[in-house]
Amino acid sequence: MDFEKSGRTRLMVRLPRHRQQLAKLRLLSLSTLLEACGIAVITRDELRGRAISGESLIAQYESNCQAIEDKVVSLLTNVSPRFVNWVPAS
């Protein structure tokens, strides 16, 4: 499973103001956060689907998802707009 793609897609829905940056920007630090987001969201959703799962564990994953989202917003807010349209030479 492509956790980075999953995290990117989720955050594009959750953060419409940053949708263009999320779609175009390729930075290692962003990729790492997007992958972590994908893993956390999928794990949280799987825990929600189980009949027996600790509410405290689900709450911890909720908190992790929010913290990652906050870090992504901070990163995107501090990235120069000129990087959004930058395409590396092939």
Side-chain angles (χ1 to χ4, degrees):
M1 176 171 276
D2 188 348
F3 294 114
E4 181 181 343
K5 183 177 179 182
S6 176
R8 185 181 306 274
T9 302
R10 178 183 188 275
L11 289 177
M12 286 175 74
V13 172
R14 299 254 318 140
L15 306 170
R17 196 172 120 207
H18 297 285
R19 193 171 287 149
Q20 182 182 9
Q21 285 177 300
L22 287 165
K24 295 182 179 182
L25 193 61
R26 301 292 185 256
L27 295 173
L28 179 58
S29 56
L30 179 60
S31 296
T32 302
L33 287 170
L34 294 174
E35 184 175 2
C37 178
I39 292 168
V41 167
I42 289 169
T43 303
R44 181 205 60 203
D45 292 347
E46 287 175 356
L47 287 171
R48 284 181 178 166
R50 293 183 184 167
I52 302 173
S53 61
E55 290 299 317
S56 64
L57 188 56
I58 293 172
Q60 180 62 43
Y61 273 95
E62 285 286 345
S63 176
N64 291 347
C65 291
Q66 186 61 52
I68 293 167
E69 188 175 312
D70 293 343
K71 288 178 184 178
V72 168
V73 169
S74 177
L75 176 70
L76 294 176
T77 301
N78 292 310
V79 169
S80 172
R82 67 188 168 116
F83 285 117
V84 175
N85 295 317
W86 180 75
V87 179
S90 299

